[in-house]
Tab-separated table of all heavy atoms in Angstrom:
chain	number	residue	atom	x	y	z
X	1	PRO	N	22.480	-43.498	-9.253
X	1	PRO	CA	22.668	-42.086	-9.576
X	1	PRO	C	23.889	-41.530	-8.865
X	1	PRO	O	24.198	-41.895	-7.737
X	1	PRO	CB	21.375	-41.432	-9.069
X	1	PRO	CG	20.380	-42.545	-8.959
X	1	PRO	CD	21.180	-43.773	-8.631
X	2	VAL	N	24.606	-40.647	-9.545
X	2	VAL	CA	25.773	-40.011	-8.966
X	2	VAL	C	25.444	-38.563	-8.661
X	2	VAL	O	24.939	-37.840	-9.522
X	2	VAL	CB	26.966	-40.074	-9.938
X	2	VAL	CG1	28.175	-39.366	-9.345
X	2	VAL	CG2	27.299	-41.515	-10.261
X	3	THR	N	25.694	-38.152	-7.429
X	3	THR	CA	25.439	-36.775	-7.052
X	3	THR	C	26.453	-35.875	-7.725
X	3	THR	O	27.655	-36.118	-7.645
X	3	THR	CB	25.539	-36.614	-5.529
X	3	THR	OG1	24.605	-37.507	-4.930
X	3	THR	CG2	25.237	-35.175	-5.117
X	4	THR	N	25.974	-34.851	-8.405
X	4	THR	CA	26.848	-33.942	-9.126
X	4	THR	C	27.142	-32.711	-8.291
X	4	THR	O	26.221	-32.024	-7.841
X	4	THR	CB	26.206	-33.519	-10.456
X	4	THR	OG1	25.912	-34.692	-11.210
X	4	THR	CG2	27.149	-32.624	-11.243
X	5	ALA	N	28.406	-32.447	-8.072
X	5	ALA	CA	28.803	-31.272	-7.305
X	5	ALA	C	28.692	-30.035	-8.175
X	5	ALA	O	28.650	-30.117	-9.406
X	5	ALA	CB	30.239	-31.449	-6.820
X	6	PRO	N	28.648	-28.846	-7.576
X	6	PRO	CA	28.642	-27.618	-8.375
X	6	PRO	C	29.869	-27.571	-9.262
X	6	PRO	O	30.926	-28.101	-8.925
X	6	PRO	CB	28.702	-26.507	-7.299
X	6	PRO	CG	28.201	-27.152	-6.061
X	6	PRO	CD	28.602	-28.582	-6.138
X	7	PRO	N	29.759	-26.961	-10.436
X	7	PRO	CA	30.905	-26.910	-11.354
X	7	PRO	C	32.120	-26.290	-10.687
X	7	PRO	O	32.030	-25.266	-10.014
X	7	PRO	CB	30.396	-26.032	-12.507
X	7	PRO	CG	28.906	-26.089	-12.414
X	7	PRO	CD	28.589	-26.269	-10.970
X	8	ALA	N	33.269	-26.937	-10.859
X	8	ALA	CA	34.525	-26.419	-10.301
X	8	ALA	C	35.116	-25.414	-11.273
X	8	ALA	O	34.791	-25.406	-12.457
X	8	ALA	CB	35.497	-27.572	-10.070
X	9	PRO	N	35.985	-24.553	-10.792
X	9	PRO	CA	36.662	-23.634	-11.705
X	9	PRO	C	37.418	-24.410	-12.775
X	9	PRO	O	37.859	-25.531	-12.560
X	9	PRO	CB	37.643	-22.882	-10.777
X	9	PRO	CG	37.076	-23.045	-9.407
X	9	PRO	CD	36.386	-24.370	-9.394
X	10	ALA	N	37.531	-23.821	-13.944
X	10	ALA	CA	38.200	-24.488	-15.056
X	10	ALA	C	39.624	-24.872	-14.677
X	10	ALA	O	40.360	-24.081	-14.109
X	10	ALA	CB	38.212	-23.569	-16.268
X	11	ASP	N	39.982	-26.117	-14.960
X	11	ASP	CA	41.318	-26.631	-14.687
X	11	ASP	C	42.099	-26.646	-15.994
X	11	ASP	O	41.760	-27.403	-16.917
X	11	ASP	CB	41.198	-28.045	-14.114
X	11	ASP	CG	42.553	-28.699	-13.870
X	11	ASP	OD1	43.594	-28.069	-14.158
X	11	ASP	OD2	42.567	-29.852	-13.401
X	12	PRO	N	43.145	-25.826	-16.117
X	12	PRO	CA	43.877	-25.771	-17.392
X	12	PRO	C	44.418	-27.124	-17.834
X	12	PRO	O	44.411	-27.441	-19.025
X	12	PRO	CB	45.010	-24.778	-17.098
X	12	PRO	CG	44.490	-23.935	-15.976
X	12	PRO	CD	43.651	-24.846	-15.142
X	13	GLU	N	44.895	-27.926	-16.872
X	13	GLU	CA	45.427	-29.236	-17.245
X	13	GLU	C	44.326	-30.140	-17.778
X	13	GLU	O	44.521	-30.871	-18.753
X	13	GLU	CB	46.122	-29.888	-16.043
X	13	GLU	CG	47.478	-29.292	-15.723
X	13	GLU	CD	48.460	-29.467	-16.868
X	13	GLU	OE1	48.666	-30.615	-17.310
X	13	GLU	OE2	48.990	-28.456	-17.341
X	14	ALA	N	43.146	-30.097	-17.147
X	14	ALA	CA	42.028	-30.902	-17.625
X	14	ALA	C	41.592	-30.440	-19.015
X	14	ALA	O	41.283	-31.246	-19.886
X	14	ALA	CB	40.863	-30.818	-16.651
X	15	GLN	N	41.570	-29.127	-19.213
X	15	GLN	CA	41.206	-28.608	-20.534
X	15	GLN	C	42.208	-29.060	-21.592
X	15	GLN	O	41.825	-29.385	-22.720
X	15	GLN	CB	41.127	-27.078	-20.475
X	15	GLN	CG	39.952	-26.569	-19.655
X	15	GLN	CD	39.944	-25.054	-19.551
X	15	GLN	OE1	40.967	-24.397	-19.728
X	15	GLN	NE2	38.790	-24.486	-19.258
X	16	PHE	N	43.477	-29.082	-21.215
X	16	PHE	CA	44.515	-29.541	-22.136
X	16	PHE	C	44.292	-30.998	-22.521
X	16	PHE	O	44.319	-31.371	-23.703
X	16	PHE	CB	45.885	-29.346	-21.485
X	16	PHE	CG	47.037	-29.899	-22.277
X	16	PHE	CD1	47.301	-29.450	-23.556
X	16	PHE	CD2	47.868	-30.874	-21.735
X	16	PHE	CE1	48.372	-29.956	-24.289
X	16	PHE	CE2	48.932	-31.381	-22.462
X	16	PHE	CZ	49.184	-30.920	-23.733
X	17	ARG	N	44.044	-31.840	-21.531
X	17	ARG	CA	43.839	-33.260	-21.812
X	17	ARG	C	42.589	-33.477	-22.666
X	17	ARG	O	42.572	-34.325	-23.561
X	17	ARG	CB	43.767	-34.050	-20.506
X	17	ARG	CG	45.112	-34.172	-19.799
X	17	ARG	CD	45.050	-35.130	-18.628
X	17	ARG	NE	44.312	-34.602	-17.506
X	17	ARG	CZ	44.864	-33.968	-16.479
X	17	ARG	NH1	46.170	-33.781	-16.449
X	17	ARG	NH2	44.127	-33.541	-15.480
X	18	GLU	N	41.536	-32.714	-22.400
X	18	GLU	CA	40.323	-32.858	-23.199
X	18	GLU	C	40.559	-32.401	-24.638
X	18	GLU	O	40.013	-32.984	-25.588
X	18	GLU	CB	39.192	-32.059	-22.553
X	18	GLU	CG	38.665	-32.710	-21.279
X	18	GLU	CD	37.666	-31.840	-20.538
X	18	GLU	OE1	37.584	-30.630	-20.850
X	18	GLU	OE2	36.955	-32.373	-19.672
X	19	SER	N	41.360	-31.373	-24.816
X	19	SER	CA	41.692	-30.911	-26.156
X	19	SER	C	42.448	-31.993	-26.927
X	19	SER	O	42.174	-32.245	-28.106
X	19	SER	CB	42.532	-29.629	-26.070
X	19	SER	OG	42.840	-29.135	-27.353
X	20	LEU	N	43.384	-32.663	-26.253
X	20	LEU	CA	44.109	-33.762	-26.893
X	20	LEU	C	43.162	-34.898	-27.247
X	20	LEU	O	43.294	-35.531	-28.300
X	20	LEU	CB	45.206	-34.259	-25.962
X	20	LEU	CG	46.372	-33.300	-25.724
X	20	LEU	CD1	47.291	-33.856	-24.659
X	20	LEU	CD2	47.146	-33.060	-27.008
X	21	GLN	N	42.215	-35.153	-26.373
X	21	GLN	CA	41.261	-36.221	-26.632
X	21	GLN	C	40.434	-35.902	-27.881
X	21	GLN	O	40.200	-36.773	-28.727
X	21	GLN	CB	40.354	-36.397	-25.408
X	21	GLN	CG	39.631	-37.722	-25.330
X	21	GLN	CD	38.868	-37.855	-24.033
X	21	GLN	OE1	38.153	-36.940	-23.623
X	21	GLN	NE2	39.017	-38.980	-23.361
X	22	ARG	N	40.006	-34.653	-28.015
X	22	ARG	CA	39.251	-34.244	-29.202
X	22	ARG	C	40.104	-34.402	-30.466
X	22	ARG	O	39.631	-34.878	-31.500
X	22	ARG	CB	38.775	-32.796	-29.071
X	22	ARG	CG	37.636	-32.588	-28.106
X	22	ARG	CD	37.032	-31.207	-28.269
X	22	ARG	NE	37.988	-30.131	-27.995
X	22	ARG	CZ	38.196	-29.617	-26.783
X	22	ARG	NH1	37.541	-30.100	-25.741
X	22	ARG	NH2	39.063	-28.644	-26.617
X	23	ALA	N	41.366	-33.983	-30.368
X	23	ALA	CA	42.255	-34.106	-31.520
X	23	ALA	C	42.455	-35.569	-31.903
X	23	ALA	O	42.485	-35.918	-33.089
X	23	ALA	CB	43.596	-33.442	-31.216
X	24	GLY	N	42.582	-36.432	-30.898
X	24	GLY	CA	42.752	-37.853	-31.174
X	24	GLY	C	41.565	-38.441	-31.898
X	24	GLY	O	41.719	-39.193	-32.871
X	25	ARG	N	40.367	-38.095	-31.446
X	25	ARG	CA	39.170	-38.612	-32.118
X	25	ARG	C	39.080	-38.086	-33.548
X	25	ARG	O	38.678	-38.799	-34.466
X	25	ARG	CB	37.921	-38.246	-31.312
X	25	ARG	CG	37.756	-39.076	-30.040
X	25	ARG	CD	36.348	-38.962	-29.495
X	25	ARG	NE	36.076	-37.629	-28.989
X	25	ARG	CZ	36.229	-37.256	-27.719
X	25	ARG	NH1	36.680	-38.126	-26.836
X	25	ARG	NH2	35.925	-36.035	-27.335
X	26	ALA	N	39.444	-36.814	-33.728
X	26	ALA	CA	39.386	-36.236	-35.068
X	26	ALA	C	40.357	-36.953	-36.004
X	26	ALA	O	40.026	-37.257	-37.157
X	26	ALA	CB	39.706	-34.744	-35.008
X	27	MET	N	41.563	-37.258	-35.536
X	27	MET	CA	42.542	-37.933	-36.385
X	27	MET	C	42.108	-39.352	-36.697
X	27	MET	O	42.300	-39.849	-37.807
X	27	MET	CB	43.916	-37.879	-35.723
X	27	MET	CG	44.494	-36.465	-35.700
X	27	MET	SD	46.071	-36.321	-34.833
X	27	MET	CE	47.198	-36.852	-36.105
X	28	GLU	N	41.524	-40.030	-35.720
X	28	GLU	CA	41.012	-41.373	-35.980
X	28	GLU	C	39.945	-41.342	-37.064
X	28	GLU	O	39.829	-42.266	-37.870
X	28	GLU	CB	40.414	-41.960	-34.693
X	28	GLU	CG	41.415	-42.621	-33.781
X	28	GLU	CD	41.870	-43.955	-34.334
X	28	GLU	OE1	41.081	-44.907	-34.341
X	28	GLU	OE2	43.025	-44.033	-34.761
X	29	ALA	N	39.143	-40.267	-37.082
X	29	ALA	CA	38.051	-40.151	-38.051
X	29	ALA	C	38.508	-39.560	-39.377
X	29	ALA	O	37.686	-39.366	-40.285
X	29	ALA	CB	36.941	-39.282	-37.452
X	30	GLY	N	39.805	-39.261	-39.497
X	30	GLY	CA	40.299	-38.680	-40.729
X	30	GLY	C	40.012	-37.203	-40.875
X	30	GLY	O	40.147	-36.638	-41.970
X	31	GLN	N	39.629	-36.547	-39.779
X	31	GLN	CA	39.303	-35.111	-39.815
X	31	GLN	C	40.564	-34.323	-39.454
X	31	GLN	O	40.696	-33.747	-38.381
X	31	GLN	CB	38.158	-34.816	-38.849
X	31	GLN	CG	36.872	-35.545	-39.214
X	31	GLN	CD	35.834	-35.512	-38.101
X	31	GLN	OE1	36.082	-34.993	-37.006
X	31	GLN	NE2	34.672	-36.066	-38.376
X	32	PHE	N	41.500	-34.301	-40.384
X	32	PHE	CA	42.824	-33.752	-40.092
X	32	PHE	C	42.821	-32.236	-39.947
X	32	PHE	O	43.614	-31.690	-39.196
X	32	PHE	CB	43.813	-34.215	-41.163
X	32	PHE	CG	43.971	-35.706	-41.207
X	32	PHE	CD1	43.431	-36.443	-42.248
X	32	PHE	CD2	44.627	-36.375	-40.187
X	32	PHE	CE1	43.564	-37.825	-42.274
X	32	PHE	CE2	44.773	-37.750	-40.208
X	32	PHE	CZ	44.233	-38.477	-41.256
X	33	ASP	N	41.936	-31.547	-40.670
X	33	ASP	CA	41.828	-30.090	-40.495
X	33	ASP	C	41.463	-29.758	-39.060
X	33	ASP	O	42.049	-28.866	-38.441
X	33	ASP	CB	40.772	-29.514	-41.442
X	33	ASP	CG	41.277	-29.397	-42.874
X	33	ASP	OD1	42.460	-29.085	-43.050
X	33	ASP	OD2	40.479	-29.611	-43.805
X	34	SER	N	40.483	-30.479	-38.533
X	34	SER	CA	40.031	-30.237	-37.169
X	34	SER	C	41.131	-30.560	-36.164
X	34	SER	O	41.369	-29.806	-35.212
X	34	SER	CB	38.785	-31.078	-36.878
X	34	SER	OG	38.381	-30.937	-35.534
X	35	ALA	N	41.827	-31.686	-36.385
X	35	ALA	CA	42.897	-32.075	-35.464
X	35	ALA	C	44.029	-31.057	-35.488
X	35	ALA	O	44.568	-30.681	-34.432
X	35	ALA	CB	43.422	-33.460	-35.838
X	36	LEU	N	44.391	-30.587	-36.677
X	36	LEU	CA	45.468	-29.611	-36.773
X	36	LEU	C	45.075	-28.296	-36.106
X	36	LEU	O	45.903	-27.667	-35.425
X	36	LEU	CB	45.832	-29.375	-38.233
X	36	LEU	CG	46.986	-28.393	-38.475
X	36	LEU	CD1	48.262	-28.854	-37.771
X	36	LEU	CD2	47.244	-28.226	-39.963
X	37	ALA	N	43.829	-27.892	-36.279
X	37	ALA	CA	43.374	-26.660	-35.624
X	37	ALA	C	43.469	-26.788	-34.103
X	37	ALA	O	43.845	-25.841	-33.401
X	37	ALA	CB	41.943	-26.351	-36.047
X	38	GLU	N	43.147	-27.979	-33.590
X	38	GLU	CA	43.227	-28.207	-32.144
X	38	GLU	C	44.679	-28.118	-31.681
X	38	GLU	O	44.997	-27.507	-30.652
X	38	GLU	CB	42.642	-29.578	-31.819
X	38	GLU	CG	42.259	-29.777	-30.372
X	38	GLU	CD	40.960	-29.078	-30.011
X	38	GLU	OE1	39.919	-29.346	-30.622
X	38	GLU	OE2	41.010	-28.257	-29.059
X	39	MET	N	45.586	-28.722	-32.434
X	39	MET	CA	46.993	-28.671	-32.074
X	39	MET	C	47.547	-27.254	-32.184
X	39	MET	O	48.361	-26.825	-31.357
X	39	MET	CB	47.803	-29.617	-32.967
X	39	MET	CG	47.535	-31.084	-32.721
X	39	MET	SD	47.961	-31.577	-31.039
X	39	MET	CE	47.545	-33.305	-31.091
X	40	GLN	N	47.098	-26.519	-33.196
X	40	GLN	CA	47.551	-25.139	-33.337
X	40	GLN	C	47.106	-24.298	-32.155
X	40	GLN	O	47.859	-23.460	-31.637
X	40	GLN	CB	47.009	-24.544	-34.634
X	40	GLN	CG	47.534	-23.146	-34.949
X	40	GLN	CD	48.988	-23.137	-35.354
X	40	GLN	OE1	49.367	-23.751	-36.355
X	40	GLN	NE2	49.830	-22.444	-34.588
X	41	ARG	N	45.861	-24.537	-31.684
X	41	ARG	CA	45.366	-23.807	-30.503
X	41	ARG	C	46.206	-24.132	-29.273
X	41	ARG	O	46.523	-23.257	-28.468
X	41	ARG	CB	43.895	-24.142	-30.251
X	41	ARG	CG	42.921	-23.394	-31.142
X	41	ARG	CD	41.503	-23.495	-30.639
X	41	ARG	NE	40.975	-24.846	-30.766
X	41	ARG	CZ	40.372	-25.309	-31.845
X	41	ARG	NH1	40.221	-24.542	-32.915
X	41	ARG	NH2	39.902	-26.540	-31.878
């Protein structure tokens, strides 16, 4: 088991990387509307 620390304040760089990760999965799945919306955001 891994001890979970209290949630840290939102990290903009981490949020950016996670957004790219979501867009990548969407493009791999052929969900181009979703990927484009992520890039537009």
Side-chain angles (χ1 to χ4, degrees):
V2 178
T3 302
T4 303
D11 177 359
E13 285 298 305
Q15 291 177 338
F16 174 60
R17 288 189 288 266
E18 287 173 345
S19 182
L20 291 173
Q21 199 175 47
R22 286 193 299 272
R25 286 196 292 266
M27 291 176 82
E28 275 286 289
Q31 298 167 357
F32 298 107
D33 283 324
S34 176
L36 182 58
E38 198 76 58
M39 291 299 180
Q40 186 71 61
R41 280 194 291 272

